[in-house]
Amino acid sequence: MATYAAIAATSEAIIGLLRRARPKDEFTKAAFEVYQGDNFESPMDEGISIYLYRVAVNGSRRGLPPTTGPDGRRYRPPLPLDLYYLLSAWGKAYDTQHRLLGWAIRELENIPIIPSSVLNSTGPEPDVFRPEETVELICDPLSLPDMINLWEALKPKSSRPLSINYVARMVAIESQVELHEYAPVQTRTFDYGKGPKA
């Protein structure tokens, strides 16, 4: 299971995948950035941004079992998270936006399962994810009212860019709290013979 840096590592891995795969001869000026809310006030001229707008506990996998470390010690169950991203294509001309978004969607669809080697290579620190771990990245379109509400909260000063939503599923953050095992209780003694003092 991943450490608490898994959210940052996942964001960096997604934008890193696009940055490395960029067709340099076509998108010569394109930037690739992880955005915060403030970035929408003065966005890039051309490129792709991803914005993490929601983090939720994965309800279907909430009851994961405790984990066992390499040394055999047991720890509290991991917390499975789903990370919701807004991917936006920026450009001064409409055709630049269209081409960037089409390319980015196709590129992310080529790698729907992100392996730990990618997740660990671009993150804030090494070895955030264990070697056997992966993160599933799937397109998760919002309804039109939800998308409008999201843009109302962001309030970009320029026009709204072409955007699409993704969810990174099952980012499981491990616990550092050890579970201790004790021998089962064999007998219990109840002293009913003594009455209250007079």
Side-chain angles (χ1 to χ4, degrees):
M1 303 299 143
T3 69
Y4 62 84
I7 297 173
T10 302
S11 298
E12 287 296 330
I14 295 168
I15 205 67
L17 281 170
L18 296 173
R19 188 180 293 126
R20 286 190 299 274
R22 169 177 66 105
K24 294 182 176 63
D25 56 338
E26 182 173 3
F27 303 124
T28 56
K29 300 177 183 177
F32 297 85
E33 298 178 18
V34 179
Y35 266 20
Q36 294 182 322
D38 295 349
N39 295 114
F40 288 92
E41 295 179 7
S42 55
M44 65 179 78
D45 289 334
E46 181 180 315
I48 296 288
S49 68
I50 62 168
Y51 171 65
L52 178 62
Y53 66 90
R54 181 178 174 222
V55 177
V57 175
N58 185 299
S60 62
R61 297 294 306 275
R62 185 66 174 94
L64 291 173
T67 57
T68 304
D71 56 0
R73 291 191 291 182
R74 298 177 72 238
Y75 296 90
R76 290 183 58 81
L79 181 65
L81 300 178
D82 290 342
L83 312 179
Y84 294 84
Y85 291 95
L86 176 72
L87 183 147
S88 301
W90 303 87
K92 295 292 187 184
Y94 77 89
D95 60 328
T96 303
Q97 284 191 27
H98 292 187
R99 294 174 70 80
L100 272 167
L101 188 65
W103 167 80
I105 293 170
R106 180 64 262 177
E107 195 60 39
L108 291 180
E109 192 66 24
N110 290 340
I111 311 174
I113 306 293
I114 306 173
S116 62
S117 59
V118 174
L119 293 162
N120 287 332
S121 66
T122 55
E125 57 189 69
D127 303 324
V128 173
F129 290 83
R130 292 185 184 177
E132 69 277 5
E133 287 187 279
T134 60
V135 170
E136 181 183 13
L137 184 67
I138 58 173
C139 186
D140 185 47
L142 287 178
S143 67
L144 186 57
D146 287 342
M147 183 66 97
I148 290 171
N149 289 337
L150 179 57
W151 281 118
E152 280 298 313
L154 293 174
K155 297 188 185 315
K157 288 188 176 177
S158 62
S159 60
R160 296 174 186 168
L162 289 173
S163 300
I164 191 167
N165 300 87
Y166 282 86
V167 59
R169 297 183 58 215
M170 284 302 296
V171 178
I173 298 180
E174 64 187 7
S175 174
Q176 298 298 314
V177 178
E178 187 175 352
L179 291 175
H180 298 284
E181 294 185 6
Y182 301 97
V185 175
Q186 300 295 321
T187 60
R188 296 181 72 185
T189 303
F190 298 96
D191 192 0
Y192 291 116
K194 295 179 181 178
K197 292 181 180 180

